[in-house]
Amino acid sequence: IGSRKSPFARNQHRQKKDTKQMFERIKEDMRTILERDPAALGPMQVIFSYPGLHALAFHRAAHWCWIQGWYGFARWLSHVGRFCTGIEIHPAARIGRRVFIDHGMGVVIGETAVVGDDCTIYHGVTLGGVSLGRGQKRHPTLGKGVVVGAGAKILGGFTVGDNARIGSNAVVVREVPENVTVVGVPARSTKETKKQREQLHSQFMAYGVVPGEDDPYIVKIRQLERQLQQQAQMIAQLQKLAGVDGDEKDEEKGAETK
């Protein structure tokens, strides 16, 4: 009986464990930045110069307060983090391990958002909701290894699959399968072979850019241009066979109109 710990002692032990884990996560975040950003020259530079690291530290503390039921203090702490870093993360949002928020200014992560392990999020990204129902899943879930390019907006309570790539300034309003790159407004998948997906999506791609990929709309526009050129050539050949010069025909039509 005498060896049993009091509730106060157990609570104190748990708090020490949580604090230790929080600092271990911060160290892990620092290593992640050094791996993914060639501009990071050393640990001290990361500690003092990377707002993404600071924002995650603020969020981990605010999230812990939220779990304890200290909702007002958690929101205030989140607000302080936003003021200091320009990155707004709701204290109820769940952020995985080794997440890298690069540059970070203007990033907004909503209340019911979930960010998986090893994700990279660039500045100006919004993980937002489009419904107003309380208690609903209003914000997106990012799987593991997702890269979200600068200015992208992911809106709704759907899932973005593991290792997906969201191009810069894309607006995503529906679910994205794993190992797929989406671009544009609204976002649409690019044409990638299975081999390309296996090779490219297994490695980190800054800003979600896959080398050699074309916007599907650009591909369609180019096809239309080729068809128009072919039609123009066919019309010119028919005019030549008919002995009618294209310019003369246009002048005759203009004269008739007058």
Side-chain angles (χ1 to χ4, degrees), residues 87-258:
I87 299 169
E88 181 176 343
I89 308 176
H90 193 283
R94 289 185 287 161
I95 309 294
R97 301 175 65 176
R98 299 176 298 279
V99 171
F100 179 26
I101 301 177
D102 198 4
H103 303 292
M105 182 61 72
V107 167
V108 177
I109 299 177
E111 178 185 8
T112 61
V114 178
V115 179
D117 297 341
D118 302 302
C119 288
T120 301
I121 298 173
Y122 287 91
H123 49 283
V125 167
T126 298
L127 304 185
V130 293
S131 65
L132 301 177
R134 290 181 182 273
Q136 296 179 357
K137 171 64 172 168
R138 308 189 312 277
H139 304 87
T141 294
L142 304 187
K144 296 179 180 179
V146 175
V147 179
V148 186
K153 316 299 177 189
I154 306 177
L155 308 175
F158 51 82
T159 299
V160 176
D162 295 347
N163 300 315
R165 302 287 184 263
I166 310 299
S168 295
N169 295 315
V171 177
V172 184
V173 293
R174 64 182 64 181
E175 189 166 322
V176 178
E178 62 181 20
N179 297 318
V180 167
T181 300
V182 296
V183 296
V185 182
R188 51 206 175 269
S189 60
T190 59
K191 292 183 178 180
E192 295 174 322
T193 64
K194 185 177 180 181
K195 186 177 181 180
Q196 285 176 324
R197 290 179 180 177
E198 291 175 353
Q199 290 178 345
L200 297 174
H201 288 265
S202 61
Q203 54 186 305
F204 173 70
M205 292 290 178
Y207 289 93
V209 174
V210 178
E213 288 292 346
D214 281 330
D215 187 318
Y217 280 10
I218 296 296
V219 173
K220 292 292 184 183
I221 291 171
R222 288 173 181 167
Q223 290 176 350
L224 289 173
E225 287 179 345
R226 285 195 295 269
Q227 290 176 0
L228 287 173
Q229 290 174 357
Q230 292 172 357
Q231 290 175 358
Q233 290 174 358
M234 292 175 65
I235 291 170
Q237 291 174 357
L238 290 172
Q239 288 177 341
K240 187 176 181 180
L241 290 172
V244 179
D245 185 64
D247 294 335
E248 291 179 359
K249 192 173 181 181
D250 290 339
E251 289 177 2
E252 291 175 1
K253 284 186 177 180
E256 290 176 359
T257 305
K258 291 179 181 178

Side-chain angles (χ1 to χ4, degrees), residues 48-86:
F48 292 106
S49 305
Y50 276 73
L53 178 70
H54 305 155
L56 288 175
F58 272 109
H59 172 70
R60 297 196 198 287
H63 186 66
W64 185 86
C65 293
W66 185 271
I67 292 172
Q68 308 310 311
W70 306 343
Y71 303 124
F73 183 72
R75 289 301 300 266
W76 177 82
L77 192 57
S78 173
H79 183 70
V80 172
R82 175 179 178 270
F83 178 80
C84 295
T85 65

Side-chain angles (χ1 to χ4, degrees), residues 3-30:
S3 62
R4 290 182 179 177
K5 293 182 179 180
S6 66
F8 176 77
R10 287 197 299 269
N11 187 48
Q12 192 175 28
H13 175 72
R14 186 180 64 189
Q15 288 180 356
K16 287 182 179 179
K17 185 178 178 181
D18 290 343
T19 303
K20 182 180 178 181
Q21 186 180 43
M22 185 173 70
F23 280 104
E24 287 176 353
R25 291 288 180 87
I26 292 173
K27 290 179 181 178
E28 190 175 52
D29 293 337
M30 288 174 57

